Amino acid sequence: MHRLPARYLVMIDADGARTALLFTEHRKPAGEFDASSEEVSVMIKGLRPERTAASAEWDQALAGSSRSDRLAAEVFTLDV
């Protein structure tokens, strides 16, 4: 089965650690790892984050995160 590519990378605090969450275009989970990893810096190089993780479009995808964590989160739209 073909997996959809990651379209968004959300950097958010989770359990006291900065976490990078990958989501497809439809905001379905596509991966999760430590935000300090080298892969994250490569993926977001040259991209500007948005502070949109608290908007309604992210409600279902980030339902397990607190409102304050979502407000502080950075959302990157990846070039795919």
Side-chain angles (χ1 to χ4, degrees), residues 8-23:
Y8 301 102
L9 184 144
V10 178
M11 290 207 306
I12 192 167
D13 290 326
D15 298 324
R18 193 84 167 146
T19 303
L21 304 172
L22 292 173
F23 293 93

Side-chain angles (χ1 to χ4, degrees), residues 4-68:
L4 295 174
R7 180 70 174 149
Y8 301 102
L9 184 144
V10 178
M11 290 207 306
I12 192 167
D13 290 326
D15 298 324
R18 193 84 167 146
T19 303
L21 304 172
L22 292 173
F23 293 93
T24 66
E25 181 177 355
H26 302 290
R27 293 175 179 77
K28 300 294 182 194
E32 177 179 333
F33 44 95
D34 186 329
S36 66
S37 70
E38 184 177 341
E39 290 82 2
V40 171
S41 58
V42 170
M43 281 190 274
I44 64 172
K45 185 176 182 173
L47 300 177
R48 290 190 172 268
E50 297 178 11
R51 299 283 183 175
T52 59
S55 64
E57 62 194 357
W58 287 102
D59 283 351
Q60 187 174 3
L62 298 173
S65 299
S66 72
R67 176 99 176 130
S68 61

